[in-house]
Amino acid sequence: MVRGYHAKRAGNAAPHPMNPNPIPLSEDPVASRILHVAAALLCCVGFALAILLSVDYPLLSSRVLLHIGIGITGGVAIALMRSGRKIAAATVLVWGYWLGVTVVASINGGLRGPNLLNYPLILVVSGWMLGARQTLMVAVLTELVFIGFLVADIKGIIPPSDFENRPAYLVFLTAIIFMTAAATLLARRGYMAQAAEAKKVATELA
């Protein structure tokens, strides 16, 4: 009896503020929409950039292969979503994206390169899909990467950025703008819907 009582109390307890995912991803429509948009965008943009970069670099060069890997990451996330494994899809998406961006930045300018624009977007997407704990982990690791880039920049290890392929950078910047706008607008839409529902319930109770 005591055991059952404690189990019931534990089941009704409020989510801990540091719980990595207090609301299941499958039950959060805002996070689910962000996951769908981010996975599709990552897949399309990764392969598109690989095709554009293949004009200036060999197909098996590190720059082209890295963007192919980023596109594959988005494709794997889409496949996991379709199989109902949204948490796994979000984990693959965030960490695969972060790793790909970090490697690309390390060979394309480091702190002086354009790829740093990806990190704030990764944090926003991670916050919605994976919760506080993993997002803080992403933030800490990103700061460590920045410190590494700073040291490498001082020692002249990282090569300068290459801006010769202008269409590739246009696609890159367009994707950043679109995904940032999508995450912001989807989050606002979800908040407004919840606020309207709460107002409706309060009115009915009154």
Side-chain angles (χ1 to χ4, degrees):
M1 187 72 179
V2 174
R3 183 178 179 182
Y5 172 76
H6 285 295
K8 184 177 180 180
R9 287 290 300 275
N12 293 333
H16 191 277
M18 291 301 290
N19 187 0
N21 197 31
I23 301 176
L25 188 57
S26 59
E27 299 177 12
D28 187 344
V30 176
S32 295
R33 292 191 191 101
I34 292 175
L35 175 58
H36 279 80
V37 173
L41 190 62
L42 191 66
C43 182
C44 295
V45 173
F47 287 118
L49 289 175
I51 293 172
L52 291 172
L53 290 172
S54 65
V55 176
D56 296 329
Y57 300 95
L59 184 61
L60 297 180
S61 65
S62 58
R63 293 174 188 261
V64 176
L65 290 177
L66 281 169
H67 286 89
I68 290 175
I70 291 174
I72 291 174
T73 298
V76 171
I78 292 172
L80 289 171
M81 278 191 299
R82 290 182 176 177
S83 65
R85 302 171 61 187
K86 290 188 177 181
I87 295 296
T91 302
V92 168
L93 177 71
V94 170
W95 288 106
Y97 184 20
W98 183 89
L99 181 61
V101 167
T102 300
V103 176
V104 171
S106 68
I107 64 173
N108 192 33
L111 290 179
R112 301 172 186 267
N115 297 285
L116 301 188
L117 292 172
N118 287 281
Y119 288 107
L121 178 58
I122 294 173
L123 290 171
V124 171
V125 172
S126 176
W128 272 104
M129 297 191 304
L130 297 180
R133 187 176 300 169
Q134 292 204 51
T135 302
L136 289 175
M137 190 182 303
V138 173
V140 170
L141 290 176
T142 300
E143 181 63 24
L144 293 176
V145 167
F146 285 175
I147 294 173
F149 284 164
L150 177 62
V151 174
D153 186 70
I154 293 173
K155 295 185 176 181
I157 298 175
I158 297 180
S161 299
D162 182 2
F163 294 95
E164 291 298 324
N165 195 318
R166 293 179 177 84
Y169 280 97
L170 176 62
V171 171
F172 165 74
L173 294 173
T174 301
I176 293 291
I177 292 172
F178 180 80
M179 188 60 222
T180 303
T184 303
L185 294 176
L186 287 173
R188 183 182 183 277
R189 181 180 178 184
Y191 169 78
M192 296 299 292
Q194 292 177 2
E197 182 66 22
K199 184 178 180 180
K200 178 181 177 182
V201 172
T203 301
E204 291 175 352
L205 290 176

